[in-house]
Amino acid sequence: MTVTRRAAVLGSPIAHSLSPVLHRAAYDELGLTDWSYDRHEVDEAALPAFFDGLGPEWAGLSLTMPLKRAVIPLLDEISDTAASVDAVNTVVLTEDGRRLGDNTDIPGMVAALREHGIDEVGSAAVLGAGATASSALAALARICTGEVVAYVRSEARAAEMRAWGERLDLDVRTAPWTDAAKALRAPLVIATTPAGTTDALAAAVPERPTTLFDVLYDPWPTALAARWSMYGGAVVSGLDLLVHQAVLQVERFTGRSPAPLAAMRHAGEQALAAR
């Protein structure tokens, strides 16, 4: 088989990435037998040299941490969505040699919520204040009509979240992490913290929880998501987010739409079950 088009995911660490599983499943379903998708361990220092080595066979790149901001100076143009959070997770490499940056995490979050019947909420809570939290705020700017409360560990992080709110024209209030149990009564809770961080909150899940969007997917379920489901609440998982943002990447890289969401999700579920 002669590979004529290439794509890959870059980051550090990268060995855990499910992106190759999802993208390859899409190529198989779409009959793109001459496409390949790999993973490459690339940190910020090595990124410029990697870009310099890209040939005309390259169609696109997926970027994970710590490259989402480091890549911006290497690009010819970035979308308004990417600019809104200073983060690029998708680079489309055009036939005329241009490098176009985009962010599919934000519309991916919105799509994952819509798949679970959430088109609009009156208010929401965000747990955490890292890079994923800023993407969560950008997603909420599209669907939340009222206040968002962000629960954070430091005043410096709180100031960052309020600044993102101003930039995104979103009403953001901050509260200390010690009050995070109060977040669980919001109409929509988005947990953006590393594995284990929200485990202690599981005991505080209300008797009739609403919707939890937990961006983790491995290990799954988290203690918080498990308790939430047990009490009958709706749960959107990190795999939902990963698949929906990958669908958008596949469409941008290949020019084929719609990408095969069901096949990609099935491949991701199988890969996680095998871990």
Side-chain angles (χ1 to χ4, degrees), residues 27-115:
Y27 299 164
D28 287 346
E29 191 76 8
L30 293 170
L32 300 175
T33 57
D34 55 349
W35 281 66
S36 73
Y37 189 102
D38 301 299
R39 60 168 69 89
H40 294 276
E41 182 81 18
V42 179
D43 61 15
E44 291 163 288
L47 188 60
F50 188 91
F51 266 72
D52 288 342
L54 296 174
E57 73 278 12
W58 283 88
L61 299 168
S62 309
L63 301 174
T64 185
M65 298 306 291
L67 305 178
K68 293 184 181 183
R69 292 200 170 124
V71 74
I72 293 175
L74 304 176
L75 304 176
D76 296 302
E77 183 183 329
I78 67 171
S79 68
D80 290 343
T81 302
S84 73
V85 290
D86 288 338
V88 167
N89 79 324
T90 305
V91 177
V92 177
L93 303 162
T94 67
E95 291 183 4
D96 60 0
R98 287 169 56 76
R99 303 166 176 174
L100 309 179
D102 199 0
N103 185 307
T104 62
D105 286 331
I106 295 165
M109 282 187 175
V110 174
L113 286 165
R114 284 185 174 149
E115 187 180 33

Side-chain angles (χ1 to χ4, degrees), residues 114-140:
R114 284 185 174 149
E115 187 180 33
H116 285 76
I118 298 170
D119 294 298
E120 185 178 288
V121 290
S123 61
V126 174
L127 299 172
T132 306
S134 62
S135 291
L137 291 182
L140 287 169

Side-chain angles (χ1 to χ4, degrees), residues 8-11 13-24 37-41 62-64 217-218 242 245 249 271-272 275:
V9 59
L10 315 181
I14 201 64
H16 68 288
S17 176
L18 272 183
S19 292
V21 171
L22 303 181
H23 283 254
R24 290 169 187 169
Y37 189 102
D38 301 299
R39 60 168 69 89
H40 294 276
E41 182 81 18
S62 309
L63 301 174
T64 185
Y217 61 84
D218 188 18
L242 193 67
Q245 66 81 30
Q249 288 184 336
L272 286 175
R275 288 186 176 181

